[in-house]
Amino acid sequence: MSVDTVSLTGWGRTAPTTALRFRPRSHEEAAATVLGCGPRGSIARGLGRTHGDAAQNAGGSVLDMTALDRVRAIDAAAGLVVCDAGTTLHRLREVMLPLGWFPPVVPGGRYVTVGGAIGSDAHGDNHRAAGSFSRHVTEFTLLTADGEARTVRPGTPLFDATAGGLGLTGVILSATLRFRPVTTALMSVDTERAGGLDDLLARMARGHRPYEYARIDLTARGRATGRGVLVRADHVPVQALPAHARRTALALGPARRPAALPLLPRLFARLSAAALNEIGYRSAPRSRTGELQPLGAFFRALDARPHSNRVSPTGGRIHYAFLVGHGQEETLRRIVGRIARSRCPSFRAVLRRCGEGGPGWLSFPAPGWHLSLDLPAGLPGLARFLDSLDEEVAAAGGRVSLTEDARLRPGALAAMYPRLPDFRALRAELDPNGAFRSDLSRRLSL
C-alpha cells in the first residue's frame, strides 16, 4: 500500500486541503488504515468527480479506492455484476454492453466509481424513469469503524444512511448491481429550442422519453429569460436497425475524444458567458427528431474534454445544484430571474425533472425541478448571493445537493433534509469516535 501527502480538491477545484493519502490494494489494507486513523479520521475517495469537499479531509487521511477495481462476477442472464468499489462505470459499460446490459443510471461522467455513485446516490438524465443509483444496488459490503466488513442490503437503516451518505458511515468495498437490458449501442435523440422558461417547462411537462434534460441560458433576460435547448432520448431497439447492422448492434466502438486545444482557456477568457450561451442556443436545431447517436457521444457531459475542469477562471468553479418540488415553479422562475438579472457568468446550466426519491436519508433527488449551474468561484459577492438562494430553496421545501456542495451553511441543512437527525443518530451509534470524517462533515456538523 502506497502512502503520500497530497493537496486535494473536488472537481470544481475550490477549497484545497492537505491530507495523508493511502492507496489500499486489498480489503485488509483498507481495514488496517481505518483502524489506524488518527483523531482527524479518514474518508474514502474515488476519482474526485464530485464538485465539493465530500472526499477531502484536512489534516486527516483519505483512502484512495481506485486500486480496488476488479469485476468479480457477472450473471449475464440476470444482468447482475459484482465489482469492487473502485470500478468505474465506464469499465462496467465496456464489460456489460456486449452482453446486452447497460448501467441503469449514468451520471454526468463515465469516470465515476461505483463506491462514489452509491455514496452520492448518483442520478442521471433518466431519474424520472429509473430513480437514483441506489435503487439498482442489490447489496454492498461496507467496512465500518470497528474494522468489520458488513453485508448491507436495501430496506435496512444502514443501507438508507449509506446511500447518499457521503462516505460517513464507512468505506464501501464492493457492490452487486442490477443492469438494464438493451439491444443496441445507439440512442435516438430529439432536440428542440424553447424561447423562455415558461415555454421550456411546458415542453418538459409534455415529455415522456426516459432521458431528458435542458441546457438553459442563464444570461438571457427579458422575455428570453430561461430559454433553453431541450434534449430527449431513448435506447434504439435492434428492430429499428437495417438487417446488415444488427450483427454489430452492441459494439461500443472506440472512445472518441476531441483533439486537445491548447488555446481553449484563452478562448474562454475572450468570449463572455453571454456569447457562449448565444452560440450554444443558436447552433441547436429548432426541432430535430430521431437523430442516432452512439452511447459514448450522448453520455459524455463531464468527459467531453480531458481535464475540462481546468478551463475555468482562477479560483475554480462553484457548482450550485438545487431542487424544488412540483408546484414550486414560481420559486424556480424567481431564482432563474435573479441569476439572469445579476449577470452572473454561468457558462453551463442544466435543468432536469426528477422523479420519486430514493431511500437514502441524505439523498438529493426528489420529485421536482433540479437546476445545476457553474459559476466562477472568484465572483464578487457570490457567497452572499448563493446564501440568499439557499434561503429561497429551503423556504420552498427544496434542497441543495450535498455531494456537489463546498459552501452551504449548516443552518440551512435541517430544513432541506428532514432525515438528518436519523442520520446523525446512526452515525453516533456506529462510529462513536469519529473514524469517518471529511471537510464537508465538519463544515455541516454531520
Side-chain angles (χ1 to χ4, degrees):
M1 176 169 58
S2 64
V3 185
D4 59 354
T5 300
V6 293
S7 177
L8 296 171
T9 70
W11 190 247
R13 302 177 69 215
T14 60
T17 55
T18 300
L20 197 62
R21 178 173 59 186
F22 293 83
R23 290 192 177 97
R25 296 188 175 276
S26 68
H27 294 179
E28 292 74 19
E29 288 185 352
T33 301
V34 169
L35 290 173
C37 72
R40 298 288 286 181
S42 62
I43 196 71
R45 182 182 176 97
L47 288 168
R49 275 329 208 234
T50 59
H51 288 77
D53 56 3
Q56 298 170 225
N57 187 22
S61 60
V62 170
L63 276 70
D64 182 332
M65 301 296 289
T66 54
L68 295 171
D69 60 353
R70 288 179 54 194
V71 178
R72 296 180 173 267
I74 295 172
D75 183 339
L80 294 173
V81 60
V82 183
C83 62
D84 287 341
T87 310
T88 66
L89 300 187
H90 175 66
R91 172 64 177 149
L92 292 178
R93 188 173 71 182
E94 288 184 323
V95 170
M96 298 296 286
L97 185 61
L99 303 176
W101 300 96
F102 190 73
V105 173
V106 180
R110 57 185 168 176
Y111 297 110
V112 173
T113 62
V114 168
I118 297 173
S120 299
D121 199 16
H123 62 282
D125 298 328
N126 64 336
H127 187 268
R128 285 189 306 112
S132 52
F133 196 85
S134 64
R135 286 186 174 272
H136 309 278
V137 177
T138 64
E139 67 177 36
F140 56 78
T141 302
L142 184 72
L143 174 65
T144 49
D146 55 6
E148 180 183 349
R150 309 187 185 199
T151 299
V152 183
R153 296 186 175 90
T156 63
L158 189 51
F159 187 99
D160 296 347
T162 303
L166 308 164
L168 296 173
T169 60
V171 179
I172 298 169
L173 298 173
S174 62
T176 303
L177 312 175
R178 181 184 296 108
F179 278 49
R180 62 160 294 170
V182 294
T183 54
T184 72
L186 293 170
M187 302 292 291
S188 172
V189 183
D190 300 341
T191 307
E192 57 186 297
R193 294 195 324 218
L197 184 60
D198 287 342
D199 183 22
L200 180 60
L201 295 180
R203 290 171 187 263
M204 294 181 77
R206 295 194 296 266
H208 299 290
R209 304 198 84 180
Y211 297 92
E212 179 187 69
Y213 68 90
R215 300 190 301 270
I216 293 189
D217 179 2
L218 290 179
T219 64
R221 294 185 294 279
R223 295 178 63 184
T225 298
R227 69 179 181 180
V229 178
L230 177 59
V231 179
R232 297 192 181 101
D234 199 356
H235 294 273
V236 176
V238 69
Q239 295 84 358
L241 300 182
H244 71 274
R246 295 180 183 179
R247 290 184 181 180
T248 58
L250 289 169
L252 184 58
R256 294 184 297 174
R257 290 182 181 272
L261 293 177
L263 295 180
L264 194 56
R266 197 175 305 167
L267 291 174
F268 266 75
R270 291 179 179 178
L271 288 175
S272 68
L276 289 171
N277 277 286
E278 182 73 21
I279 292 170
Y281 182 77
R282 296 296 176 188
S283 62
R286 290 185 179 274
S287 180
R288 181 173 62 197
T289 60
E291 180 192 11
L292 296 185
Q293 292 185 12
L295 286 169
F298 184 76
F299 296 104
R300 67 184 183 94
L302 282 184
D303 306 313
R305 292 191 183 279
H307 312 300
S308 62
N309 64 324
R310 297 180 186 174
V311 183
S312 62
T314 301
R317 292 179 298 181
I318 295 294
H319 186 79
Y320 189 68
F322 72 91
L323 180 143
V324 293
H326 295 300
Q328 292 295 330
E329 287 78 9
E330 188 54 41
T331 300
L332 178 63
R333 292 185 186 96
R334 190 163 54 248
I335 291 176
V336 168
R338 287 187 60 188
I339 295 171
R341 290 191 301 274
S342 71
R343 300 180 183 270
C344 286
S346 176
F347 289 95
R348 175 177 170 80
V350 178
L351 180 67
R352 298 179 177 90
R353 280 192 302 167
C354 289
E356 183 180 355
W361 291 342
L362 298 186
S363 181
F364 170 67
W369 301 98
H370 164 211
L371 179 62
S372 61
L373 56 142
D374 289 331
L375 296 167
L379 281 178
L382 180 61
R384 291 191 302 274
F385 181 68
L386 293 181
D387 286 345
S388 70
L389 295 189
D390 293 341
E391 293 174 2
E392 287 209 48
V393 169
R399 59 186 58 168
V400 168
S401 171
L402 298 183
T403 192
E404 305 291 356
D405 175 61
R407 32 78 39 204
L408 183 69
R409 294 187 178 187
L413 189 62
M416 295 180 177
Y417 289 91
R419 299 300 301 271
L420 181 62
D422 297 323
F423 180 80
R424 284 173 170 158
L426 185 142
R427 276 204 73 208
E429 178 184 349
L430 194 65
D431 183 13
N433 297 319
F436 299 111
R437 302 184 186 184
S438 66
D439 290 355
L440 180 142
S441 74
R442 279 187 286 269
R443 176 168 54 83
L444 295 178
S445 301
L446 291 174

